[in-house]
Amino acid sequence: MAAASLQPNRIRRLYLTGVSAERDPLANVILASWKEILGVNTYNSEDSDGYDKEKESYYDEECDPEVHTSRCTARLRSFAWSIILQTYSEIFLAKSGPNRVQTWVDGVCRYNTEEGLRALLMQTHGHFMDESDGEDSLDPWSPAAMATRIRESQSIEQCKIVVGSDDKMSSPEQAHRLASLLGLSTGPNSLEHEEHEILCSFKIIEGCGHAVPMEEMRLWREDLLSFLN
């Protein structure tokens, strides 16, 4: 969306998966929990235990960066479990089983650091460090703001938004709202193309969470190829 917003003349079609106009209250709670797990500073008082004045942040003494390069293995694993449980649907997790999910947790911890994951969340969620979480309307790079600019540019010919029915991070309601901002008028399915409007369609994948390409890999790939062709 950022590329289409910046250089709309270079992009004719958009296929968006798990993207919503803004975060709903549940998504904000989930992000707040990740913020807490990763040890992001949410306090202002320097009198609180664990405050490092020089770094202006809070830390866990047991996770001293001088000892653990990835800060805290326990904290990193807690985040890995949380993000997997919140990203995938209950149906997919139940089918996968605890042993397989455990390997995913191990992979997250093996190939990531706390600092890297924190930076990723800050990059993908503009207000992650801000106490005004959820005020996406103030962010010019929020999906809603970019969708408005994309529609006004009248350069994108067609777009499609796909979302899982059980997506906790991008609810179907908010994904549908994004589709409306891009040109979808009413109803859950693709509508007729109006003059100077983007032909935008909207699809819900039943039983999927936020990770649609992982949970319904073949269905998602075929749908994407069909859209592009």
Side-chain angles (χ1 to χ4, degrees), residues 185-203:
S185 298
T186 59
N189 301 310
S190 59
L191 304 184
E192 295 181 358
H193 184 39
E194 300 176 6
E195 185 178 1
H196 302 309
E197 292 287 353
I198 299 173
L199 178 60
C200 184
S201 58
F202 176 71
K203 183 175 184 178

Side-chain angles (χ1 to χ4, degrees), residues 32-59:
S33 71
W34 292 345
K35 184 176 178 180
E36 179 76 14
I37 292 172
L38 289 177
V40 177
N41 181 13
T42 57
Y43 302 93
N44 295 319
S45 173
E46 297 185 10
D47 297 328
S48 299
D49 293 336
Y51 184 80
D52 187 328
K53 185 174 182 180
E54 182 178 349
K55 296 181 180 180
E56 296 185 348
S57 63
Y58 286 81
Y59 64 92

Side-chain angles (χ1 to χ4, degrees), residues 160-171:
K160 186 170 188 175
I161 296 180
V162 177
V163 65
S165 62
D166 301 331
D167 194 329
K168 298 177 182 177
M169 300 307 301
S170 299
S171 69

